[in-house]
Amino acid sequence: YPQGPPGAPGGGPQSGTVAQLNQAENEDSGRRLELVYAAADVGGGFFAGGGSGTGLFGFGGAVGVRLVSFTLGARVRDLVGATNSLLLNAEGAYHLVLGSADLVLGAHGGYFTVTNAGGGSGGNVGLDVGLDYYLSSLFSVGATASPGLYFGGGDPVFGLFVGPRAGLHFGL
C-alpha cells in the first residue's frame, strides 16, 4: 500500500465496517447497561379447547434480571373470564436491540390454577413476542403477544394473551 493500509491514518478510505463502527460510537441511543427490570401488562385474549372457547381479560407483572441481550425473570398474571386463572411463570427472552426499541423473543412456563368454576391446576408453556420502545433509559412502553398451552388433566387447552405493557429498567 503506497499510502498505508486502508483505514490507517493518512491511508486510503475507511472500510464500510470501520465507518459503521465509528458512526455507532458517535451516536448514543441514550440507553445504559440494564441489570434489573420490572414490568406490568394488561390485555385480553382467549382459551380454546374441546370445541369451545372463552374470552378473558388479564393483568400482571414481572421482575427479573437482564444480561446484555438476555432476560430471565418471574411473572404473575391473573386472567379473568368465564374461567378465572392465576399463572405463576418463569420467563426467559432474547432482546434484539434496534436503537431505542427492543424486539423481544421469549418463552415461559410454570404453574396455573383455575380460581373459579370448580378449581383445578396444572402447568403451562408458551412463547412471547413483543416490542418495547424506550422513552428513556428508565422507562419503556410496548406490546406483547403470548400464545401458550395449558395442561390440567385432560387435553391441553390453547390460550392467547395480547396487550400493552410498560417497564421500569435499572442499571449502570
Side-chain angles (χ1 to χ4, degrees):
Y1 300 102
Q3 299 176 3
Q14 291 183 342
S15 72
T17 302
V18 172
Q20 285 178 333
L21 288 173
N22 287 336
Q23 180 182 356
E25 189 173 310
N26 292 331
E27 295 175 359
D28 183 4
S29 68
R31 294 174 60 180
R32 59 182 182 206
L33 178 63
E34 182 181 334
L35 299 175
V36 177
Y37 70 91
D41 59 32
V42 63
F46 66 89
F47 287 127
S52 65
T54 181
L56 57 91
F57 168 78
F59 57 93
V63 295
V65 296
R66 180 165 177 167
L67 301 171
V68 185
S69 292
F70 295 93
T71 54
L72 185 62
R75 175 174 300 280
V76 62
R77 184 175 284 149
D78 191 14
L79 303 174
V80 181
T83 303
N84 295 344
S85 301
L86 181 66
L87 283 72
L88 302 171
N89 284 338
E91 62 181 15
Y94 171 74
H95 295 249
L96 178 61
V97 178
L98 306 168
S100 295
D102 280 5
L103 175 62
V104 183
L105 306 170
H108 65 268
Y111 173 80
F112 92 98
T113 184
V114 176
T115 58
N116 70 346
S121 62
N124 74 93
V125 294
L127 300 175
D128 301 301
V129 177
L131 184 68
D132 291 331
Y133 182 77
Y134 283 70
L135 298 172
S136 71
S137 61
L138 180 65
F139 185 69
S140 69
V141 294
T144 189
S146 298
L149 291 175
Y150 299 83
F151 307 92
D155 292 335
V157 173
F158 176 78
L160 177 66
F161 179 83
V162 178
R165 66 182 181 185
L168 293 173
H169 311 273
F170 305 98
L172 302 175

